[in-house]
Amino acid sequence: MKLLLVVMLGCILCQAQNKGGDFPAIEEYEKRSAVLKIREMLLNETDAKEKRDKTVQQIEASFYTAQRMTDSDAQLTELIRIRHAVQDIFEEVKEATGRQVELAGMIDKSMAAGGLLPQVSAYLGEARTQLRTMGTSQDALAKRMQGLHERVKVAIRNVPPPRVFTSRTGVEFQLIAAGKNSFYVSSKPVSAGNVTLEEAYFYARDFSQREKALYKLPTMAEMKLMNQVGFKPVCAIWSIQPWGVDEPDVVRMSERFGVKMYWIWDPACKLGRQPTFGELKFAKFPSLGYYLVTGAKTGWQNRWDRIIADMAQVK
């Protein structure tokens, strides 16, 4: 169809030239040039649309493939690539719309000028119809891509956090998988002994500032989850959670003497007491240390930043 229109327009212009011998009037020459330019631009837009439609089909196929990937890193990498491709389509459609508005103006101007052969007028009318159809198709494509973009964002959020990640300063953290309550704990103790709760607290604060993410000492709830998944610390460890808050006698004692005790988890009973007990924050024992914990989002963000950096290097 496209080739037929090109041939017809070429014949029409040749007939017009032969009929008059040449185009003595500049006005007639400008009309002829405008129609040729319209033809060229319309062919370019048609080619661009066909390529864009094929690209969109490839993007959609890639998305369905990505959803079936089992490697989380590879899946997230592919979803990020797809998101960028969809954004490129949005930009391409926007630019195409601008070009087509300009082309429509050229067609309207040529048709309004009059003095055209019937065949040329018919071609311009057909070109205007073709342009409107193209615009309607692009509007539908934009809506289709918007829907895909939303699905890609949901898929990205649903990629599970990595099982292990290494912080910027080289500390390895492993995932304690517990659904919405999932979190990370350092694979090794930051300190395995002779450290007070205050020292551990200030280290966690400084570590958070260096890493630009929240790292802290675990709560008892997090310690219970660690125990449930079989995580065993190599030493007794501090908790950030106060001890005895549900026991009136302990609360009265704390208020009377102005001291507060904090939970310690010692599953191997290295300190010779029960697996859990309370201790003063300035206590220090050779086998009393601490681990750091952080939210599941930290590991997810760490991987995201790494993948984005890797993709930027490839470009």
Side-chain angles (χ1 to χ4, degrees):
M1 180 64 181
K2 181 170 64 178
L3 180 59
L4 179 60
L5 287 173
V6 172
V7 174
M8 288 176 59
L9 184 57
C11 292
I12 290 168
L13 293 173
C14 287
Q15 290 173 8
Q17 187 172 13
N18 292 335
K19 184 176 180 180
D22 54 12
F23 290 91
I26 294 186
E27 190 176 299
E28 189 65 28
Y29 175 78
E30 289 177 346
K31 289 180 182 178
R32 177 175 179 270
S33 297
V35 174
L36 289 173
K37 183 63 176 177
I38 289 169
R39 182 191 69 174
E40 179 185 0
M41 290 178 66
L42 185 59
L43 289 176
N44 289 339
E45 289 304 315
T46 302
D47 288 341
K49 179 184 180 303
E50 291 176 355
K51 292 178 181 178
R52 189 161 52 245
D53 289 344
K54 289 180 181 178
T55 299
V56 167
Q57 290 177 357
Q58 293 170 353
I59 292 173
E60 291 175 330
S62 297
F63 176 62
Y64 294 127
T65 299
Q67 289 181 301
R68 295 192 294 271
M69 288 182 173
T70 55
D71 184 312
S72 296
D73 276 23
Q75 184 183 45
L76 186 57
T77 300
E78 181 64 8
L79 288 171
I80 292 173
R81 188 194 67 77
I82 292 170
R83 190 188 68 160
H84 289 165
V86 171
Q87 291 170 340
D88 288 343
I89 291 294
F90 283 140
E91 188 62 29
E92 189 177 332
V93 168
K94 180 180 178 181
E95 292 175 357
T97 299
R99 293 193 304 267
Q100 290 163 21
V101 168
E102 179 185 358
L103 179 54
M106 291 173 62
I107 294 173
D108 292 343
K109 183 178 179 181
S110 294
M111 295 179 74
L116 298 172
L117 291 173
Q119 299 96 321
V120 175
S121 295
Y123 169 75
L124 292 176
E126 175 61 29
R128 194 69 175 88
T129 300
Q130 191 175 346
L131 205 57
R132 283 195 293 268
T133 301
M134 197 178 298
T136 301
S137 176
Q138 282 172 189
D139 290 342
L141 178 63
K143 292 180 180 179
R144 182 170 149 200
M145 286 294 94
Q146 185 60 48
L148 178 59
H149 190 252
E150 293 301 321
R151 293 198 299 275
V152 170
K153 289 197 297 184
V154 171
I156 286 175
R157 288 196 297 267
N158 288 338
V159 175
R163 187 181 60 82
V164 176
F165 82 92
T166 301
S167 71
R168 297 180 182 182
T169 52
V171 179
E172 182 183 271
F173 287 81
Q174 65 183 72
L175 182 67
I176 303 298
K180 293 182 179 180
N181 296 319
S182 296
F183 63 96
Y184 287 91
V185 60
S186 51
S187 298
K188 298 177 181 179
V190 178
S191 174
N194 287 319
V195 59
T196 67
L197 176 62
E198 288 184 326
E199 291 170 339
Y201 171 80
F202 285 118
Y203 180 86
R205 186 191 63 181
D206 293 342
F207 188 83
S208 297
Q209 292 176 347
R210 292 197 302 272
E211 293 288 337
K212 302 186 185 306
L214 178 61
Y215 292 83
K216 62 183 184 64
L217 302 179
T219 63
M220 277 304 296
E222 289 167 335
M223 288 177 169
K224 288 179 181 178
L225 289 173
M226 290 159 63
N227 184 56
Q228 289 174 8
V229 300
F231 182 91
K232 300 298 181 184
V234 299
C235 60
I237 61 173
W238 283 107
S239 166
I240 196 62
Q241 186 170 331
W243 173 78
V245 293
D246 295 328
E247 301 178 28
D249 291 341
V250 175
V251 173
R252 282 194 295 269
M253 181 188 71
S254 296
E255 292 174 349
R256 178 181 178 186
F257 295 102
V259 296
K260 186 182 292 185
M261 302 180 77
Y262 291 82
W263 282 104
I264 287 177
W265 182 33
D266 185 15
C269 296
K270 291 182 177 291
L271 298 181
R273 308 188 204 178
Q274 297 177 345
T276 58
F277 57 91
E279 186 54 88
L280 297 172
K281 62 183 179 181
F282 48 77
K284 182 181 289 190
F285 302 102
S287 296
L288 177 58
Y290 67 97
Y291 286 69
L292 290 180
V293 299
T294 187
K297 185 178 179 180
T298 304
W300 199 100
Q301 187 65 47
N302 177 278
R303 178 179 57 193
W304 173 274
D305 293 341
R306 172 173 52 80
I307 290 175
I308 292 295
D310 290 344
M311 293 177 75
Q313 288 180 355
V314 172
K315 291 182 179 179

